[in-house]
Short mmCIF file of all heavy atoms in Angstrom, two decimals:
data_model
loop_
_atom_site.label_atom_id
_atom_site.label_comp_id
_atom_site.label_asym_id
_atom_site.label_seq_id
_atom_site.Cartn_x
_atom_site.Cartn_y
_atom_site.Cartn_z
N ASN B 153 -14.25 12.91 0.02
CA ASN B 153 -15.29 12.50 0.89
C ASN B 153 -15.23 11.04 1.10
O ASN B 153 -15.68 10.19 0.30
CB ASN B 153 -16.69 12.95 0.48
CG ASN B 153 -17.68 12.68 1.55
OD1 ASN B 153 -17.82 11.62 2.14
ND2 ASN B 153 -18.46 13.69 1.80
N THR B 154 -14.62 10.52 2.22
CA THR B 154 -14.49 9.06 2.47
C THR B 154 -15.81 8.39 2.60
O THR B 154 -15.92 7.09 2.22
CB THR B 154 -13.62 8.79 3.69
OG1 THR B 154 -14.25 9.49 4.79
CG2 THR B 154 -12.17 9.39 3.39
N THR B 155 -16.84 9.01 3.12
CA THR B 155 -18.14 8.41 3.29
C THR B 155 -18.68 7.95 2.02
O THR B 155 -19.26 6.80 1.76
CB THR B 155 -19.18 9.30 4.05
OG1 THR B 155 -18.50 9.85 5.26
CG2 THR B 155 -20.38 8.61 4.43
N GLN B 156 -18.63 8.87 1.01
CA GLN B 156 -19.12 8.57 -0.31
C GLN B 156 -18.32 7.45 -1.00
O GLN B 156 -18.88 6.60 -1.69
CB GLN B 156 -19.24 9.86 -1.09
CG GLN B 156 -20.22 10.87 -0.70
CD GLN B 156 -20.25 12.17 -1.37
OE1 GLN B 156 -19.76 12.25 -2.51
NE2 GLN B 156 -20.80 13.17 -0.85
C1 LIG K 5 -19.62 13.44 2.78
O1 LIG K 5 -20.76 12.93 2.03
C2 LIG K 5 -21.76 12.59 3.04
C3 LIG K 5 -22.88 11.83 2.24
O2 LIG K 5 -23.09 12.54 1.05
C4 LIG K 5 -22.30 13.81 3.69
O3 LIG K 5 -23.34 13.57 4.63
C5 LIG K 5 -21.04 14.49 4.43
O4 LIG K 5 -21.49 15.65 4.99
C6 LIG K 5 -19.90 14.78 3.55
N1 LIG K 5 -18.79 14.99 4.40
C7 LIG K 5 -18.04 16.04 4.10
C8 LIG K 5 -16.89 16.25 4.93
O5 LIG K 5 -18.29 16.89 3.21
#
Side-chain angles (χ1 to χ4, degrees):
N153 186 314
T154 54
T155 309
Q156 289 176 22

